[in-house]
Amino acid sequence: MLDSATLGVASGELIVVEGSTAAGKSTLLEVAALARTPDRGAVWFAGRNTVALQPASLPYVRRNIGYAAAEPLFEPEHSVLDNVMLALAVRGDSPSVAETAAREALTLVHASELAARKVGSLSSGQKRLVALARAVAGPPPVVIADEPAALGGEEGRAVAVSALSAARSLGAAVLCGTSDTALADRLVRAGGRRIHLAKGYIVGAPPVDLVPSVAAVAGRREEPGGRIIALRSHRGEGVMEGATKGPR
Amino acid sequence: MRAVWIARSVREQVRDHRLLVFAAILAFCLLALAAGAAWLGTQTAARWRTFVGQNVHVIVYLADNVERERALGLAEILGRASTVAEATVVEPETAFARLETSAFGSGVARTSLESLEPSYFPRSIEIQLVPAADLAGRAAELAGRLREVPGVVQVDAMTSGLARLSVWIDLGRRLGEGMLAALALVTFASLMAVFLRSRRAARQRSMVLAQLGDTAASIRLPMCLWMAVAALVGGAAGAALLRFGWRPLLSHVERSLGIVSTLPLPLLGLRDLGIGLAIVLLFGLVLGYFATPLARARDHA
């Protein structure tokens, strides 16, 4: 459960939300990915509060977010490649562009050999790896990953760090949640900023450069370029700020 | 989602759910058969009613000494009765000619009729009654009265034939209604099965696409399209079966019932086919629309 959280993430920024089990990480990420509606608060994206958007407008926002959930949804009877391509299809890419991007993303997470396999035949860890590839394929303006070190161990961490760093280097705003301190350390070493979440609250002082973002969102004043994603959740608020294409 | 992806999605759904697509085609074929059979059945019932109404129900045979003028006068008086639709005098020559035509038509050798002369046939009056439910009763009642008229030697009320025909027609109608009801039930069950199975098949894809940010219209469109095509194919198959199968079937039934009518057999016209197929196509689109369950954009995680 998420109680009070305020955070923002800008284009080319990587934020690691670290916390133990049941700290509220997944809830925070689901709210940020527009997969869950906060009981109260707001989620700002490209200058719009998505909580107040008409349901019919939400898909145009959601397609700009690559979300690797802890329990990702797939079409199990379709191939891994088709499933990754589907995210790019929704964004409007042509089949050839989508296939190229999907193969690149699978290579990035060291899963290119899984491309032709049906998702239904994969292990849980492999599915999460494919979910990570689908989230970073493109990449979309915002990438959100919940426990991305699917395979575990150093190899799993290395894959997650390289995939998320690559997305970040291409301009995506990256938000990653994990309870794995070693992964969080590696992401911080790769240029990420760490936020601790405990019992639904962000603990400790937030990073200094987050404060102006919060102020900007609280006053609903957009930064030049109008690229803001923000969230405020139940009994608190969170802010997420990043580069987006914005809703059509 | 671009059109090329929609087309790809349609192809994938058809490939992944071949059995479901086949079942959908079959269900729409049944739907077309049920609707078309109901339509044609109504026209057939009207045709049979007309046939019974147009038949000669009473024949009055006159004595040899009854002159043509008297026969015509008698026919005119009978024609004024409220229960009589038409009363016609049949001359011996006409009766003989009819016998020849009917005998040769059924393969009787010409030589067997050579010994007969038209004068052997009595002058008669053929009476056609106004169509009514108790036609046989009315014919019997009229025949009873006519037997008392001087110059009348014999009256054939044809009540047994009428009663038998009515029973057969009634049986045929009931049988048709029963078969139609069974067909409608099977059609409904088939369409419901297709609908529920389609919903189950589409649920996962719908959830995935909703999470990825696809619009409701785009999520629904592929199933609407393939369901509409299935409806068109199934509907066309059902309509073709009726168009080419109904007339031979009806001819067979009418032959076995002894119905010989000059009225044209009912047929699904091109206009009927066009309207029917348009309705089935629309039905397919609607079924495809509602068979795609939409995961809510939020709260499915």
Side-chain angles (χ1 to χ4, degrees):
Chain A
M1 179 182 164
L2 189 64
D3 202 331
S4 175
T6 302
L7 67 94
V9 54
S11 174
E13 191 178 21
L14 193 162
I15 288 189
V16 188
V17 181
E18 190 192 351
S20 59
T21 306
K25 300 185 303 297
S26 293
T27 307
L28 176 68
L29 298 181
E30 283 168 8
V31 170
L34 310 186
R36 182 187 289 268
T37 311
D39 296 336
R40 210 174 60 199
V43 179
W44 291 83
F45 190 104
R48 289 182 178 85
N49 179 6
T50 61
V51 174
L53 282 178
Q54 291 289 326
S57 302
L58 276 175
Y60 299 106
V61 182
R62 293 166 67 85
R63 65 182 53 169
N64 290 298
I65 302 170
Y67 177 42
E71 290 178 11
L73 292 169
F74 290 108
E75 285 196 273
E77 294 305 312
H78 287 190
S79 72
V80 165
L81 184 66
D82 283 346
N83 270 278
V84 178
M85 283 171 69
L86 204 55
L88 297 142
V90 169
R91 275 178 232 151
D93 289 341
S94 70
S96 59
V97 170
E99 184 173 348
T100 306
R103 288 193 186 279
E104 284 174 1
L106 286 169
T107 305
L108 194 63
V109 299
H110 301 178
S112 50
E113 75 281 1
L114 300 177
R117 282 182 60 182
K118 284 185 178 179
V119 172
S121 71
L122 301 181
S123 68
S124 170
Q126 285 172 324
K127 282 181 186 170
R128 288 170 69 176
L129 206 56
V130 175
L132 183 61
R134 186 173 64 182
V136 300
V142 177
V143 173
I144 297 172
D146 193 357
E147 298 292 359
L151 295 177
E154 279 307 305
E155 189 193 347
R157 293 185 191 109
V159 166
V161 171
S162 74
L164 295 177
S165 298
R168 178 195 167 207
S169 67
L170 288 169
V174 181
L175 185 60
C176 171
T178 184
S179 56
D180 182 353
T181 306
L183 173 64
D185 289 343
R186 289 188 69 150
L187 286 168
V188 169
R189 280 203 296 278
R193 290 189 296 134
R194 189 192 320 246
I195 289 172
H196 286 282
L197 199 65
K199 295 180 180 176
Y201 288 88
I202 289 179
V203 293
V208 175
D209 58 351
L210 183 62
V211 176
S213 300
V214 175
V217 172
R220 297 194 179 187
R221 178 167 51 81
E222 290 185 10
E223 295 296 321
R227 295 173 159 189
I228 293 176
I229 299 173
L231 72 88
R232 290 178 192 173
S233 63
H234 182 53
R235 278 173 283 165
E237 62 179 16
V239 179
M240 210 172 106
E241 185 177 4
T244 72
K245 289 177 184 171
R248 286 181 191 174
Chain B
M1 199 184 269
R2 288 184 180 191
V4 63
W5 286 109
I6 298 290
R8 189 183 165 120
S9 183
V10 170
R11 204 170 56 237
E12 282 173 358
Q13 287 191 27
V14 171
R15 184 196 62 201
D16 294 348
H17 308 292
R18 284 197 188 105
L19 202 63
L20 185 61
V21 174
F22 181 73
I25 290 173
L26 201 64
F28 283 112
C29 180
L30 287 174
L31 179 68
L33 277 175
W39 170 251
L40 287 171
T42 308
Q43 291 194 334
T44 302
R47 170 187 152 80
W48 285 357
R49 273 199 303 274
T50 309
F51 167 75
V52 171
Q54 281 180 343
N55 247 331
V56 173
H57 307 117
V58 180
I59 300 177
V60 182
Y61 297 101
L62 302 173
D64 291 341
N65 59 355
V66 174
E67 298 298 323
R68 177 178 161 79
E69 286 69 27
R70 186 155 173 249
L72 287 170
L74 194 56
E76 192 188 340
I77 293 166
L78 283 169
R80 287 181 198 157
S82 60
T83 56
V84 175
E86 195 177 353
T88 316
V89 174
V90 178
E91 294 299 327
E93 293 77 13
T94 311
F96 182 65
R98 279 188 194 168
L99 177 67
E100 277 188 323
T101 309
S102 117
F104 297 150
S106 58
V108 175
R110 183 178 287 273
T111 50
S112 61
L113 295 178
E114 275 176 355
S115 56
L116 294 176
E117 286 180 20
S119 57
Y120 288 169
F121 291 84
R123 184 171 279 118
S124 62
I125 298 173
E126 290 182 351
I127 299 169
Q128 188 185 321
L129 297 178
V130 173
D134 59 337
L135 214 50
R138 284 191 181 189
E141 187 188 338
L142 183 65
R145 286 184 188 175
L146 286 171
R147 283 191 188 101
E148 307 299 321
V149 176
V152 172
V153 290
Q154 191 183 338
V155 180
D156 188 351
M158 311 188 79
T159 48
S160 60
L162 272 176
R164 196 171 63 242
L165 190 63
S166 294
V167 166
W168 279 113
I169 288 175
D170 194 43
L171 188 69
R173 188 173 57 80
R174 282 171 193 273
L175 199 67
E177 283 173 357
M179 284 168 69
L180 198 63
L183 188 62
L185 201 67
V186 171
T187 303
F188 179 74
S190 308
L191 286 171
M192 278 307 289
V194 166
F195 175 75
L196 294 173
R197 187 68 188 82
S198 302
R199 273 186 79 83
R200 208 164 57 191
R203 182 171 291 121
Q204 184 71 13
R205 184 179 176 83
S206 173
M207 285 169 69
V208 171
L209 286 170
Q211 192 188 59
L212 294 175
D214 208 0
T215 58
S218 190
I219 291 170
R220 281 177 160 147
L221 193 56
M223 186 172 281
C224 283
L225 287 176
W226 77 250
M227 200 72 94
V229 172
L232 205 58
V233 172
L241 276 173
L242 284 175
R243 186 169 167 85
F244 298 110
W246 186 264
R247 275 190 165 178
L249 178 73
L250 190 60
S251 296
H252 181 74
V253 170
E254 289 193 349
R255 264 200 310 276
S256 53
L257 287 175
I259 297 172
V260 181
S261 175
T262 53
L263 292 170
L265 289 163
L267 177 75
L268 277 181
L270 289 178
R271 185 172 164 274
D272 303 329
L273 284 175
I275 293 172
L277 286 181
I279 291 171
V280 172
L281 181 74
L282 193 67
F283 194 78
L285 281 170
V286 171
L287 197 72
Y289 181 87
F290 287 108
T292 312
L294 279 188
R296 286 199 298 168
R298 295 174 185 265
D299 298 340
H300 68 264

